[in-house]
């Protein structure tokens, strides 16, 4: 198993972290990961991360739910077991569609929500009983950690991070 050195810079304020990320990126260093106790607005742009495509999958999952709901209402109420409910004819799906709107809506939301959760967990590689990858437990409470790989520039990176307002800087071996 190979080990790589990384620098962990710990911050106690999200504004200081954002300034530090911009400064480190401005010096053309690669930031491997940033651990935060809550979402920090604008951090993804500051890190240069690509926009997420999860919204596209949510839309596709919603269309899937609407399609299944359309087929389900047609099959159960028109094809398989047509009934005269409240004097409404059961000869076409379009004539009865206003009565099916709640079913269409609910199955659209059901499919989009449940499949999005599954997609998010798979994309994030969060499996049941998975060990936490958090390098410092304080980042789940009130601290922010920036992880930067060391490539024979440990002194230069440490000096740079000291100017960014880090409360703690450690060089560790990442397994």
């Amino acid at each position: 198993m190979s080990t790589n050195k990384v620098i962990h810079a710990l911050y106690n304020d999200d504004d200081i972290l954002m300034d530090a990320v911009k400064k480190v990126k401005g010096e053309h260093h690669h930031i491997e990961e940033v651990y935060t106790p809550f979402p920090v607005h604008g951090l993804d742009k500051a890190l240069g991360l690509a926009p997420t495509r999860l919204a596209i999958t949510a839309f596709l999952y919603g269309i899937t739910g609407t399609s299944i709901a359309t087929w389900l209402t047609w099959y159960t109420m028109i094809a398989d077991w047509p009934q005269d409910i409240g004097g409404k004819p059961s000869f076409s799906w379009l004539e009865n569609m206003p009565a099916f709107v709640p079913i269409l809506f609910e199955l659209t939301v059901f499919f989009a929500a449940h499949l999005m959760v599954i997609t998010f967990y798979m994309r994030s590689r969060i499996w049941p009983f998975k060990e936490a990858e958090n390098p410092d437990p304080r980042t789940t409470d009130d601290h922010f950690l920036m992880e930067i790989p060391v490539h024979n520039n440990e002194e230069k990176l440490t000096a740079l991070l000291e100017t960014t307002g880090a409360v703690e800087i450690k060089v560790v071996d990442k397994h």
Side-chain angles (χ1 to χ4, degrees), residues 87-152:
K88 294 181 182 177
S90 295
F91 304 121
S92 78
W93 186 86
L94 283 176
E95 289 175 355
N96 290 317
M97 196 270 298
F100 300 148
V101 168
I103 298 166
L104 295 170
F105 174 77
E106 290 298 330
L107 283 180
T108 300
V109 172
F110 179 86
F111 271 74
H114 287 78
L115 292 176
M116 276 305 299
V117 167
I118 293 168
T119 301
F120 174 75
Y121 284 150
M122 289 175 59
R123 180 71 179 98
S124 300
R125 295 186 177 111
I126 301 175
W127 317 113
F129 310 111
K130 182 179 188 274
E131 277 189 44
E133 295 177 5
N134 198 353
D136 193 322
R138 292 178 285 179
T139 60
T140 62
D141 186 23
D142 61 351
H143 282 73
F144 306 85
L145 186 138
M146 184 178 1
E147 184 177 273
I148 306 169
V150 175
H151 302 292
N152 298 325

